[in-house]
Amino acid sequence: MPDPEMLADVARHMLPTTAVVGWADPRENYPLLAGEALPGAVPSRLREFAAGRHAARMALNRIGAGLIAVPMADDRAPIWPVGITGTITHTRSACLAAVVRVGAFAGIGIDLEEDTPLDRDLWDDVLGPEEQLWLARQDGDRGGLSKRMFSAKEAAYKAQYAQSRTVFGFDVIAIALTETRFTATFRQEIAPFAEGYVIHGQHALVQGHILTTATLPA
């Protein structure tokens, strides 16, 4: 089974030095603080939610914000303290959260996925024609590469959301992968991001997981 603390250490090295990472094991039970709630959640989902909040509070405490609650906004995004932005991700066996002060970066995103192929039936929903054409030209594990592209889109989406507060589909961002890095390019304007705006990120395979990170400069 993966070691969430080791995954957090890898994420730490993939993010800017000003970012702080927390971790938790969603198979464990963590208490919620006042103001943190997920109404109507089934026990497994509530356990994952609580693990995410534990990881977020760990990161906030390490960045100097103290042990404080991380409530959920109406759009279901975490409410971070003033001057700090962050991101949370989890799988069935590991949970990570990262925070950074807004003066250093305008947005941060991390995504963690199990290293399994993206279901071929989902390719048309997740990947645009140019991305599928790129995949068709690749040798080796195209299912695994498609999952990395999915994860990169998730990390980039999280990084930009603090600025746009706009929900959009996978078709808005186009991913280009290299061996350890990626770019996520807006295919249309999503204010305040112009068409063609590029988010930069990294990806890695570690402990049976795909880990991706993305940041927006301030």
Side-chain angles (χ1 to χ4, degrees), residues 32 50 57 59 62 71 131 148 168 171 180 216:
L32 291 172
R57 293 195 302 268
R62 289 176 171 177
E131 293 161 327
R148 292 196 215 184
F168 54 77
D171 60 314
T180 60
L216 296 181

Side-chain angles (χ1 to χ4, degrees), residues 44-69:
S44 60
R45 177 67 186 99
L46 185 59
R47 190 165 54 248
E48 291 172 349
F49 178 82
R53 265 33 190 192
H54 178 85
R57 293 195 302 268
M58 179 189 295
L60 287 170
N61 191 43
R62 289 176 171 177
I63 208 171
L67 287 170
I68 57 175

Side-chain angles (χ1 to χ4, degrees), residues 51-140:
R53 265 33 190 192
H54 178 85
R57 293 195 302 268
M58 179 189 295
L60 287 170
N61 191 43
R62 289 176 171 177
I63 208 171
L67 287 170
I68 57 175
V70 184
M72 184 172 63
D74 290 342
D75 61 3
R76 303 183 71 81
I79 300 175
W80 303 101
V82 174
I84 294 175
T85 188
T87 179
I88 302 172
T89 186
H90 63 78
T91 64
R92 294 175 297 177
S93 53
C95 180
L96 302 178
V99 296
V100 68
R101 294 196 178 278
V102 174
F105 289 88
I108 184 172
I110 59 174
D111 186 66
L112 192 63
E113 302 288 339
E114 294 177 356
D115 183 20
T116 56
L118 182 68
D119 191 324
R120 185 64 180 82
D121 292 341
L122 297 177
W123 283 22
D124 288 343
D125 295 327
V126 174
L127 306 175
E130 70 278 19
E131 293 161 327
Q132 294 198 43
L133 179 61
W134 179 84
L135 270 180
R137 294 171 174 166
Q138 305 309 304
D139 296 325

Side-chain angles (χ1 to χ4, degrees), residues 106-217:
I108 184 172
I110 59 174
D111 186 66
L112 192 63
E113 302 288 339
E114 294 177 356
D115 183 20
T116 56
L118 182 68
D119 191 324
R120 185 64 180 82
D121 292 341
L122 297 177
W123 283 22
D124 288 343
D125 295 327
V126 174
L127 306 175
E130 70 278 19
E131 293 161 327
Q132 294 198 43
L133 179 61
W134 179 84
L135 270 180
R137 294 171 174 166
Q138 305 309 304
D139 296 325
D141 183 11
R142 294 173 184 168
L145 288 173
S146 66
K147 189 70 166 287
R148 292 196 215 184
M149 297 175 83
F150 168 81
S151 186
K153 291 195 179 200
E154 289 288 305
Y157 177 86
K158 293 176 182 180
Q160 66 80 42
Y161 189 77
Q163 298 296 309
S164 74
R165 291 289 171 181
T166 300
V167 177
F168 54 77
F170 290 108
D171 60 314
V172 171
I173 289 178
I175 298 296
L177 290 179
T178 64
E179 186 174 354
T180 60
R181 297 182 180 272
F182 70 87
T183 58
T185 303
F186 279 84
R187 300 178 67 247
Q188 65 186 66
E189 180 182 359
I190 299 288
F193 302 102
E195 180 182 350
Y197 184 91
V198 178
I199 298 172
H200 295 270
Q202 298 186 52
H203 63 95
L205 294 179
V206 55
Q207 293 198 327
H209 283 72
I210 299 167
L211 174 63
T212 56
T213 64
T215 52
L216 296 181

